[in-house]
Amino acid sequence: MPMDVPGDAAEPQAPFDWTGAEARRRADAGLVRTLRPRPAEAEALDLAGNDYLGLTRHPDVTGAAAGAVRRWGAGATGSRLVTGSTELHATLERELAAFCGFEAALVFSSGYAANLAALTALTARGSLIVSDAGNHASIVDGCRLSRADTEVVPHADPDAVRKTLAAHPGRRALVVSDSVFSVDGDAAPLAALAAACRPHGAALVVDDAHGLGVLGAGGRGALHAAGLAGAPDVVATATLSKSLGSQGGAVLGPARVVDHLVNAARTFIFDTGLAPAAAGAALASLRLLRDRPELADRVRAVAAALHGRLTAAGLSAVRPDAAVVSVRAPSAAEAVRWAADCRAEGLAVGCFRPPSVPDGVSRLRLTARADLTEEQIAWAVATVVRTAPPAAADLG
């Protein structure tokens, strides 16, 4: 018989009461995040998004998205292996691989899903992943889900990678790194990482989310710039939501790797395919980039101009290797106020705070765009400088 519950037993808490304490903790630490739906027509100059080439509203891109909806429908209707693959997806994969210099490509519903696919399907229990300490959350999650043993090494340190691989001789191993790190905008030493991998037979997987469209000849990406595109031991992941102004992700590499992902990657097999509108828009952007290689040069020039003028004004900004310009803030609370003051002036900037920044240093994050005018660059810099907390100049 069941035991009687004593009459003075404490009442059980409601299952989500603990969220109140978490909310108070975030508020005390200045880490509250808020959704702010933006209007269709921009009210602010956007240096917070990732539309590096300014293509998300280009008429060729929006027209291609609308045309894809009319022809293929609003959704993919199923997973890629059931009904979610169209001729549009196949064309995008073929042209993306050719543009970036890889044998094959596979398109996913997001860059996040692409990273999860590469890291879970190309490893196994007992294998080794060596991951840069500054890698994106999607890489971190992919390492966790892979069931491989993960060793996190200091940021952008090929010697640490080499030593870690040497400490695990004979193990199936994979080294993973962002090509351009999303917080500070610095580039990984890809050639040195490849050199560290090869004596140990380790694969190199590079998330080129912030390199595609910005680095390499005509924006072909960081791996192309490093002379590693198409190498048999190199795999790239990418997003279609930054330079290509659309949505989705991709894995690029040897054809046998792509074939393996089709058969083994859970985020490919069990996820609904990328919507036709997103595939059509990404393909149109890719063709615009192919026809206008100067766009990549322009976005790098804008980033350099933003950095040069901000540092000349006394602020501490990391020299950008691609399109991201990171400006240090005195604290998380000051970063929030600084970003809010910029927004009140009509300038949208990113605000990165812990845990998004593992070193604990909060930042404003500005993203360069190829379509910014000289007047917009000057006004954006003046706004950031004018609204800067007094202590920001002490960080320089």
Side-chain angles (χ1 to χ4, degrees):
M1 296 179 61
M3 295 179 62
D4 293 333
V5 178
D8 59 353
E11 289 293 325
Q13 287 187 331
F16 299 115
D17 280 354
W18 59 270
T19 62
E22 288 294 300
R24 289 189 294 274
R25 180 189 61 78
R26 286 192 295 269
D28 291 344
L31 300 179
V32 175
R33 288 160 168 78
T34 305
L35 292 172
R36 290 187 299 272
R38 61 178 174 86
E41 299 300 326
E43 295 178 346
L45 180 62
D46 181 14
L47 270 67
N50 296 313
D51 185 21
Y52 296 147
L53 304 184
L55 296 179
T56 193
R57 290 180 179 271
H58 191 285
D60 288 2
V61 175
T62 56
V69 168
R70 286 192 294 268
R71 183 176 184 190
W72 300 104
T77 75
S79 71
R80 292 286 307 276
L81 289 170
V82 183
T83 57
S85 286
T86 70
E87 294 173 7
L88 196 57
H89 292 83
T91 301
L92 173 60
E93 288 165 345
R94 185 171 58 252
E95 294 193 19
L96 182 63
F99 179 78
C100 295
F102 287 87
E103 190 175 10
L106 189 65
V107 167
F108 291 76
S109 60
S110 71
Y112 212 111
N115 274 338
L116 296 187
L119 292 170
T120 58
L122 298 180
T123 60
R125 194 186 298 275
S127 60
L128 175 69
I129 298 177
V130 183
S131 179
D132 188 287
N135 279 340
H136 187 263
S138 59
I139 294 177
V140 174
D141 288 351
C143 292
R144 291 170 176 169
L145 290 170
S146 71
R147 302 183 183 180
D149 297 326
T150 299
E151 296 280 350
V152 178
V153 294
H155 177 54
D157 189 342
D159 285 338
V161 170
R162 187 177 294 106
K163 290 175 183 176
T164 302
L165 292 172
H168 299 273
R171 290 183 70 179
R172 178 170 148 194
L174 179 155
V175 174
V176 61
S177 176
D178 284 337
S179 66
V180 176
F181 294 89
S182 60
V183 174
D184 278 335
D186 57 315
L190 296 183
L193 288 176
C197 289
R198 284 170 173 162
H200 303 280
L204 177 62
V205 175
V206 177
D207 180 356
D208 205 20
H210 300 276
L212 176 62
V214 180
L215 301 178
R220 284 172 169 78
L223 286 160
H224 190 278
L228 296 171
D233 54 353
V234 173
V235 170
T237 64
T239 179
L240 312 178
S241 64
K242 294 180 171 60
S243 287
L244 299 186
S246 181
Q247 188 172 353
V251 177
L252 303 95
R256 63 179 178 173
V257 168
V258 168
D259 180 67
H260 176 72
L261 295 180
V262 169
N263 287 276
R266 294 174 67 85
T267 56
F268 181 82
I269 297 169
F270 298 107
D271 192 19
T272 298
L274 184 67
L283 180 59
S285 290
L286 179 65
R287 290 171 173 175
L288 282 168
L289 176 58
R290 187 178 60 202
D291 293 341
R292 297 182 58 193
E294 71 276 6
L295 288 172
D297 297 330
R298 174 61 183 166
V299 72
R300 294 196 304 271
V302 171
L306 289 169
H307 171 265
R309 297 179 194 186
L310 289 167
T311 53
L315 297 179
S316 177
V318 178
R319 183 179 298 278
D321 288 325
V324 174
V325 180
S326 175
V327 186
R328 294 185 65 181
S331 68
E334 292 277 30
V336 173
R337 284 193 289 270
W338 195 357
D341 289 344
C342 286
R343 190 164 55 250
E345 295 283 333
L347 176 67
V349 298
C351 178
F352 275 32
R353 299 162 285 158
S356 299
V357 283
D359 59 8
V361 178
S362 295
R363 300 155 168 85
L364 293 192
R365 179 180 180 272
L366 284 63
T367 51
R369 293 205 332 250
D371 60 338
L372 290 182
T373 65
E374 293 301 321
E375 292 76 13
Q376 288 172 320
I377 295 169
W379 179 81
V381 169
T383 301
V384 173
V385 172
R386 183 172 62 252
T387 57
D394 298 333
L395 302 173

